[in-house]
Amino acid sequence: MRKSEKTRRSVRPVRFLLRWVFRAVLAVAVLIGLGVGLYRVVNPPTTPYIMAEARRLDGVRRDWVDADRIAPVMMRSAVAAEDANFCTHWGFDMNAIRTAIEAGGNRGASTISQQVVKNVYLWHGRSWPRKALEAVITPAMEAAWPKRRILEVYLNIAEFDEGIFGVEAAARHYFGTSAQDLTPVQAARLAAILPDPKGRSASDPSRFVRNRAASILDGAATIQRDGRAACFERA
């Protein structure tokens, strides 16, 4: 057998593998594009975590409300609490990431956009495949969705208590009102429990929640004054 023929035979498996790797990457890219494009205009009916909790609890409470039916102060409070630079980053807050690294990884640096991607498209838990997909989908979503849409989805899928998902269900659960009619204090308290919704209460707040809510109240007013709420508020 001639050398050239041996070379061709050895190259064939490599080309075959590369061809299928390319097809797999292309398929993933198409799926991501379709998923991001779809949920720009269609409200996510549920998420993997909500489905898991619904099975565990035999049902959950969740009522979708459009951004126009959410009190603006609630939107500002969520941003002040979770992602003050929401309007100025492209999905990743590099300053927060650097600060988290300097603190030894004990501080969170996840943006609202990353949380939406994780909850809508992916699964909970720490793993490199999930992080890799999050790193790909987040900027794609940021490019395709308006900031107001990202925040709207976030507030409709966030967990506020065991079995309570979305700001409308949370407003009724804690305060007997609607998301549209939340007061600044109520909005700040709801935002204050977001990092630990099962361990904190908005209607019976601990001293920590009261203090955090007061800080969020100030922060919400600050981002309104300095323009960091402009990307998601109606003119």
Side-chain angles (χ1 to χ4, degrees):
M1 184 181 295
R2 287 183 292 182
K3 186 176 180 180
S4 59
E5 187 175 346
K6 287 183 179 180
T7 302
R8 284 197 299 271
R9 288 191 176 185
S10 64
V11 168
R12 283 174 190 167
V14 176
R15 287 179 176 173
F16 178 81
L17 179 61
L18 290 175
R19 188 181 301 119
W20 278 102
V21 168
F22 173 77
R23 289 175 179 175
V25 170
L26 182 61
V28 170
V30 169
L31 288 174
I32 289 173
L34 289 174
V36 169
L38 177 66
Y39 284 156
R40 186 188 191 281
V41 294
V42 176
N43 297 332
T46 187
T47 70
Y49 180 67
I50 292 175
M51 286 192 293
E53 286 295 275
R55 288 194 297 270
R56 185 177 71 86
L57 300 170
D58 196 25
V60 297
R61 290 175 59 186
R62 176 174 177 252
D63 299 301
W64 185 279
V65 285
D66 295 336
D68 290 340
R69 292 173 53 206
I70 300 174
V73 70
M74 181 69 242
M75 302 181 81
R76 291 194 296 271
S77 295
V79 170
E82 294 290 289
D83 188 1
N85 295 317
F86 177 65
C87 283
T88 62
H89 64 64
W90 49 275
F92 301 97
D93 188 338
M94 302 311 296
N95 289 330
I97 291 172
R98 281 192 288 269
T99 301
I101 292 172
E102 291 169 2
N106 294 323
R107 290 187 55 176
S110 182
T111 64
I112 285 175
S113 302
Q114 288 175 269
Q115 293 179 55
V116 169
V117 167
K118 180 183 71 175
N119 285 296
V120 171
Y121 297 106
L122 304 174
W123 60 94
H124 285 213
R126 296 178 180 273
S127 67
W128 285 111
R130 189 189 70 75
K131 281 293 183 183
L133 286 170
E134 182 182 301
V136 172
I137 299 173
T138 298
M141 185 187 73
E142 279 274 346
W145 293 15
K147 289 283 190 176
R148 186 175 174 87
R149 174 59 172 172
I150 295 172
L151 189 55
E152 176 185 61
V153 173
Y154 172 75
L155 284 171
N156 275 285
I157 62 174
E159 182 182 29
F160 287 90
D161 197 358
E162 189 169 60
I164 305 297
F165 290 91
V167 66
E168 179 71 12
R172 298 194 180 282
H173 172 68
Y174 284 114
F175 305 118
T177 189
S178 68
Q180 192 170 25
D181 295 324
L182 286 166
T183 68
V185 171
Q186 290 170 339
R189 287 186 180 178
L190 285 178
I193 67 173
L194 282 176
D196 184 17
K198 292 177 181 176
R200 302 174 186 174
S201 171
S203 57
D204 185 20
S206 63
R207 178 178 295 180
F208 173 83
V209 171
R210 287 179 184 273
N211 291 340
R212 178 168 164 77
S215 177
I216 290 169
L217 198 61
D218 289 340
T222 298
I223 66 171
Q224 183 182 28
R225 286 195 303 269
D226 66 20
R228 282 181 292 162
C231 71
F232 59 83
E233 292 208 315
R234 296 291 192 196

